[in-house]
Amino acid sequence: GESVGLHLPTLSVQEGDNSIINCAYSNSASDYFIWYKQESGKGPQFIIDIRSNMDKRQGQRVTVLLNKTVKHLSLQIAATQPGDSAVYFCAEKDAGGTSYGKLTFGQGTILTVHP
Amino acid sequence: GAGVSQSPRYKVAKRGQDVALRCDPISGHVSLFWYQQALGQGPEFLTYFQNEAQLDKSGLPSDRFFAERPEGSVSTLKIQRTQQEDSAVYLCASSRKGLAGGVETQYFGPGTRLLVL
């Protein structure tokens, strides 16, 4: 596929707004999906996950929606705060027996929250 | 509790030099993964260990890359004869269970940023 390079999608919101970050995945055999948050100079931090037998899962201030028909995943962040500013990655795991749990990451979205 | 740690955090190498990157997973975690993250990209899988066994090395880009986990805890990723295209952040992740335990959350370390000049 096309390399995104430095041109990551960006989302800019005001503090207190709700944010929605989208991700399209390509592998219909994936059975587990995760959202990670990555701040500058740090490793990815787990936010929330969802298995393929579910279409919605809620956490604290976050909700993940999974639409397997169109292979789409979204992360909703309620009442976004400046500390939520980071790059957000979706990741998927192939259900195949030889996948060994390895994750395939999407391209990432830069979220900027303005006070 | 202590998370995944990696060292060094930054490494500058001259082209052709060998480097070794260390990962200390969360204590007791069975599974260990290495990923490579280029600037502006998501992490890409390199290799997987279940305890000391390297079960998947399909993501290693060339035979210059070698990883080991001899006692099933600390892991080392070695890159021989480094090239400029090896410049990236190398991330280590661990999870509690092995394959038979089903899907598990992977916890990532801070990464080692490698720059090859």
Side-chain angles (χ1 to χ4, degrees):
Chain A
E2 181 180 353
S3 173
V4 174
L6 293 174
H7 302 289
L8 292 176
T10 60
L11 176 63
S12 189
V13 301
Q14 291 294 128
E15 181 177 4
D17 287 352
N18 295 332
S19 303
I20 300 176
I21 300 171
N22 296 301
C23 175
Y25 65 94
S26 57
N27 186 359
S28 57
S30 293
D31 65 348
Y32 176 63
F33 304 87
I34 315 99
W35 280 99
Y36 282 95
K37 171 187 179 183
Q38 188 172 28
E39 297 174 282
S40 181
K42 297 183 179 180
Q45 176 189 353
F46 172 87
I47 300 173
I48 191 168
D49 59 4
I50 188 168
R51 297 176 191 265
S52 60
N53 60 355
M54 304 170 68
D55 53 20
K56 181 179 180 179
R57 189 165 188 223
Q58 288 185 288
Q60 186 176 13
R61 277 201 312 121
V62 294
T63 300
V64 55
L65 299 177
L66 174 64
N67 184 332
K68 293 182 289 295
T69 302
V70 295
K71 290 188 280 192
H72 184 267
L73 194 68
S74 69
L75 176 70
Q76 300 177 0
I77 306 174
T80 317
Q81 303 167 1
D84 295 327
S85 295
V87 180
Y88 289 78
F89 291 98
C90 64
E92 58 184 298
K93 185 192 82 65
D94 192 307
T98 59
S99 70
Y100 296 115
K102 68 183 178 187
L103 299 176
T104 300
F105 283 78
Q107 66 179 16
T109 296
I110 301 172
L111 174 65
T112 303
V113 182
H114 300 282
Chain B
V4 178
S5 60
Q6 293 185 246
S7 61
R9 291 295 314 278
Y10 303 92
K11 177 69 178 178
V12 178
K14 293 182 180 179
R15 190 163 58 92
Q17 192 176 0
D18 297 350
V19 298
L21 312 180
R22 177 186 168 110
C23 171
D24 285 79
I26 295 172
S27 179
H29 275 201
V30 170
S31 292
L32 186 146
F33 300 82
W34 283 98
Y35 292 84
Q36 180 190 58
Q37 186 174 27
L39 185 64
Q41 307 265 356
E44 293 191 354
F45 171 80
L46 293 177
T47 188
Y48 166 68
F49 290 87
Q50 179 172 280
N51 295 310
E52 70 281 1
Q54 188 176 21
L55 299 185
D56 187 353
K57 51 183 181 180
S58 63
L60 296 177
S62 78
D63 59 7
R64 296 186 295 104
F65 287 70
F66 172 77
E68 60 184 4
R69 193 186 185 198
E71 298 179 358
S73 54
V74 171
S75 178
T76 303
L77 176 67
K78 298 179 179 178
I79 309 173
Q80 297 177 322
R81 306 181 302 281
T82 52
Q83 303 295 314
Q84 286 185 324
E85 61 263 28
D86 300 334
S87 296
V89 175
Y90 291 86
L91 294 163
C92 175
S94 71
S95 62
R96 190 165 55 96
K97 297 179 182 178
L99 300 177
V103 172
E104 281 267 301
T105 302
Q106 293 182 26
Y107 297 94
F108 282 81
T112 294
R113 185 175 300 273
L114 173 65
L115 177 62
V116 181
L117 302 176

